[in-house]
């Protein structure tokens, strides 16, 4: 119930204005977002890499409505890749891109073209791109664009969301050699017709999808903070003789940081998803919706100052 309310609010510009102007919102944002500039992103990346972790960077933004905005997002990624390259960090850091930020909602061709330029710049810098997955109305379009991008840049990755009923089958499609799939539970409010609704059904689906990916020939990226699913991932890695360079765990910036370094110290590859930029509202609301305790934390920090 609370999750639905928060996810509905994530689409409301009125609530966005209220949250953005609340006096201590910035303190809460800072827990989940690395900062606003490429230098902030670089600083966070350096800290994480020094701690033995790898990184994927997300220039915050979604639901772009003009070609100019889409171009600005593309340019922000090109700038970020140049900064990472100059700092010698492209061996440890890649980028994550939301197609809606580069024009998907109003011009799929433009979104593809922008994503293609980002993939080309990433390849030149010696790193990769992973396409984030948004609500279910964009899944087909995102996977179509992924297939086109992979024709030139086969290492381009995609996110699949275990809460969608279709995802086990999408995992089978994408479990082949050379593919990179980031498996997460899913963060949007989706109808029962397309998505499992109960936590236990989503978890069961996650395990089925994880089995398909770990048994396949691709590179699975297990994006979860859930201790049970992490343990199952470790167990399947042993079962399928997967070495630490043939799959990885992924978590979000600011969430379970001790677990991130613990897994890395056990020899696992762990990648942290680091968002930065001004457009943090939708991202923050999805993080609040995932965990009621975060709403309490937000409320406390609003009241305690
Ligand atoms: P779950 O929500 O059950 O949490 C398990 C435990 O993790 C909790 O008990 C708590 O300890 C901790 N935890 C989880 N979320 C927390 C939070 N917000 N704050 C504090 N603690 C928290 N989704 C999507 O739809 N499209 C996408 O492209 C992506 N991309 C993506 C990339 C990466 C690297 C990650 C890790 C996640 C995503 N997601 C996503 C988000 C994902 O779908 C999901 O909403 C969150 O990861 C939370 O789900 P968990 O698997 O962690 O389990």
């Amino acid at each position: 119930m609370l999750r639905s309310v928060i996810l509905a609010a994530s689409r409301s510009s009125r609530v966005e204005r209220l949250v953005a102007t609340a006096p201590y919102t910035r303190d809460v944002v800072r827990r989940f977002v690395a900062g606003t500039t490429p230098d902030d992103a670089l600083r966070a990346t350096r800290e994480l890499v020094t701690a033995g972790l790898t990184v994927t960077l997300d220039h915050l933004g979604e639901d772009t409505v003009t070609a100019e905005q889409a171009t600005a997002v593309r340019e922000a990624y090109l700038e970020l890749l140049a900064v990472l390259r100059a700092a010698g960090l492209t061996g440890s850091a890649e980028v994550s891109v939301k197609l809606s930020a580069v024009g998907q909602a109003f011009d799929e061709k433009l979104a593809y073209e922008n994503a293609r330029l980002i993939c080309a710049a990433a390849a030149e810098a010696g790193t990769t791109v992973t396409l984030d997955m948004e609500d279910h109305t964009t899944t087909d379009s995102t996977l179509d664009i992924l297939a086109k991008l992979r024709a030139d840049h086969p290492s381009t990755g995609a996110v699949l969301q275990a809460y969608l009923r279709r995802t086990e089958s999408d995992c089978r499609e994408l479990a082949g050699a050379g593919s990179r799939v980031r498996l997460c539970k899913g963060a949007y409010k989706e109808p029962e017709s397309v998505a499992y609704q109960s936590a236990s059904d989503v978890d069961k689906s996650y395990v089925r999808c994880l089995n398909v990916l770990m048994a396949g020939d691709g590179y699975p990226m297990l994006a979860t903070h859930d201790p049970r699913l992490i343990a199952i991932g470790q167990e399947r890695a042993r079962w399928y003789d997967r070495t630490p360079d043939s799959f990885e765990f992924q978590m979000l910036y600011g969430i379970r940081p001790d677990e991130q370094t613990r897994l890395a110290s056990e020899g696992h590859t762990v990648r942290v998803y680091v968002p930065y930029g001004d457009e943090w509202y939708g991202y923050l609301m999805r993080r609040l919706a995932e965990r009621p305790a975060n709403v309490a934390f937000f409320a406390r920090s609003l009241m305690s100052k």
Side-chain angles (χ1 to χ4, degrees), residues 3 31-32 56 96-98 130-135 158-163 182-188 190 199 202-203 206 221-230 249-256 271-274 283-284 286-294:
R3 178 171 182 269
R31 177 179 163 191
F32 298 110
T56 184
S96 289
V97 176
K98 279 191 175 46
T130 301
L131 302 181
D132 285 337
M133 193 61 86
E134 301 177 68
D135 73 63
V159 176
L160 294 178
Q161 299 152 316
Y163 65 11
R182 173 180 295 158
L183 180 65
C184 68
K185 288 190 185 180
Y188 297 80
E190 299 288 16
V202 175
D203 289 357
Y206 195 104
M221 304 183 278
L222 306 179
T224 181
H225 315 88
D226 188 326
R228 270 203 316 168
L229 295 178
I230 291 169
F249 289 106
Q250 299 192 338
M251 296 190 205
L252 301 174
Y253 181 74
I255 300 184
R256 303 201 69 203
R271 192 172 300 276
V272 183
Y273 183 104
V274 178
Y283 182 86
L284 175 74
R286 287 194 294 279
R287 301 296 75 83
L288 295 182
E290 276 153 10
R291 202 166 177 241
N294 287 342

Side-chain angles (χ1 to χ4, degrees), residues 15-30:
V15 181
E16 177 172 356
R17 274 196 301 279
L18 268 176
V19 172
T21 53
Y24 299 106
T25 291
R26 291 275 152 193
D27 294 352
V28 182
V29 175
R30 228 171 275 142

Side-chain angles (χ1 to χ4, degrees), residues 6-282:
I6 298 170
L7 288 177
S10 75
R11 294 273 177 207
S12 158
S13 48
R14 253 191 32 219
V15 181
E16 177 172 356
R17 274 196 301 279
L18 268 176
V19 172
T21 53
Y24 299 106
T25 291
R26 291 275 152 193
D27 294 352
V28 182
V29 175
R30 228 171 275 142
R31 177 179 163 191
F32 298 110
V33 175
T36 54
T37 66
D39 280 347
D40 293 332
L42 191 63
R43 191 167 42 247
T45 301
R46 275 213 180 93
E47 276 169 22
L48 293 163
V49 170
T50 304
L53 302 162
T54 60
V55 169
T56 184
L57 285 153
D58 166 33
H59 174 75
L60 286 168
E62 49 201 274
D63 299 332
T64 293
V65 291
T66 68
E68 290 70 31
Q69 281 175 316
T71 305
V73 172
R74 181 191 76 205
E75 290 304 308
Y77 272 103
L78 300 190
E79 183 189 355
L80 173 66
L81 285 162
V83 167
L84 288 175
R85 187 181 193 174
L89 282 167
T90 44
S92 309
E94 63 136 35
V95 297
S96 289
V97 176
K98 279 191 175 46
L99 289 176
S100 74
V102 289
Q104 186 182 34
F106 60 93
D107 186 344
E108 258 185 48
K109 271 200 190 130
L110 176 73
Y112 162 69
E113 189 51 31
N114 282 330
R116 192 183 66 75
L117 291 170
I118 296 170
C119 288
E124 212 178 302
T127 190
T128 49
V129 176
T130 301
L131 302 181
D132 285 337
M133 193 61 86
E134 301 177 68
D135 73 63
H136 79 278
T137 62
T138 65
T139 309
D140 281 328
S141 156
T142 301
L143 294 181
D144 287 349
I145 292 176
L146 173 76
K148 286 210 270 174
L149 292 170
R150 286 192 68 206
D152 289 330
H153 301 289
S155 62
T156 308
V159 176
L160 294 178
Q161 299 152 316
Y163 65 11
L164 293 185
R165 296 177 193 276
R166 61 178 283 168
T167 293
E168 191 180 342
S169 146
D170 289 334
C171 284
R172 288 188 201 289
E173 291 284 313
L174 285 175
S179 89
R180 293 168 58 253
V181 176
R182 173 180 295 158
L183 180 65
C184 68
K185 288 190 185 180
Y188 297 80
K189 175 154 176 48
E190 299 288 16
E192 195 173 353
S193 53
V194 299
Y196 300 109
Q197 303 291 308
S198 76
S200 81
D201 282 345
V202 175
D203 289 357
K204 282 185 213 153
S205 170
Y206 195 104
V207 175
R208 289 195 300 275
C209 295
L210 180 158
N211 287 340
V212 172
L213 295 175
M214 294 294 270
D217 297 319
Y219 185 82
M221 304 183 278
L222 306 179
T224 181
H225 315 88
D226 188 326
R228 270 203 316 168
L229 295 178
I230 291 169
I232 292 171
Q234 288 178 299
E235 194 268 334
R236 293 300 189 275
R238 281 190 292 273
W239 181 260
Y240 290 111
D241 285 331
R242 279 195 173 261
T243 50
D245 60 352
S246 69
F247 77 105
E248 65 187 47
F249 289 106
Q250 299 192 338
M251 296 190 205
L252 301 174
Y253 181 74
I255 300 184
R256 303 201 69 203
D258 294 347
E259 178 66 0
Q260 295 170 11
T261 45
R262 188 192 69 80
L263 284 169
S265 72
E266 279 186 8
H268 290 294
T269 305
V270 181
R271 192 172 300 276
V272 183
Y273 183 104
V274 178
Y276 76 98
D278 294 320
E279 308 230 346
W280 44 263
Y281 178 71

